[in-house]
Amino acid sequence: MMTRITLEDQPAPAARDAVWNGLRAFNEAHSGPGSFDSTPLSVVLRDDSGAPLGGLVGRSYSGWLYVELFHIPAEHRRAGLGREMLTMAEEEAARRGCIGVRLETYSFQAPGFYALMGYSVVGRLQDCPPGHTRYSLAKRLDGAPLEAP
């Protein structure tokens, strides 16, 4: 059988599925069946008419909540909404049995906010984008330390 490698800007769904299904099978062989099942979570900020203004979008899997997106419009910041929304997400994550929350933020976004919320830097990537830093942050919800002593 001959194989070849292709570079694709928009891989077909079958190509993505082949990668995901193979990776998932490998991961679950080590972490247990269903450990990579994913459940979406959203906390939405809405105006008086119910239209979405912003919010938090993530998913729980592998015992953690991963916050994929979190945005509050500038005119609604510094009113405690971010704290309330992140707390709601953390509480739901705990109800789902998650042991922690992880996310990324940039140096020009909200690393200070997350520090105040108890998140710790577990990784950083300088010059991503150039002139800035991308931080990986995490917080345990179960009270255990992030790193073993």
Side-chain angles (χ1 to χ4, degrees), residues 5-112:
I5 299 171
T6 61
L7 178 64
E8 304 172 19
D9 288 339
Q10 296 290 328
R16 186 189 186 290
D17 289 347
V19 173
W20 171 240
N21 292 336
L23 180 60
R24 181 179 176 140
F26 177 85
N27 290 348
E28 289 185 355
H30 295 277
S31 61
S35 59
F36 281 80
D37 289 348
S38 175
T39 304
L41 182 148
S42 296
V43 180
V44 182
L45 178 64
R46 298 181 182 277
D47 68 13
D48 291 337
S49 72
L53 300 172
L56 180 150
V57 176
R59 58 187 53 256
S60 57
Y61 66 96
S62 298
W64 285 74
L65 171 65
Y66 175 59
V67 176
E68 299 169 351
L69 306 168
F70 191 12
H71 174 73
I72 298 173
E75 63 272 17
H76 296 285
R77 294 181 191 152
R78 305 217 182 275
L81 297 171
R83 177 180 300 275
E84 184 177 351
M85 294 169 72
L86 188 54
T87 298
M88 288 174 69
E90 291 172 354
E91 290 170 351
E92 177 59 21
R95 278 190 289 278
R96 294 179 181 192
C98 292
I99 61 170
V101 180
R102 63 187 188 89
L103 56 89
E104 279 84 35
T105 193
Y106 293 99
S107 53
F108 55 84
Q109 289 179 329

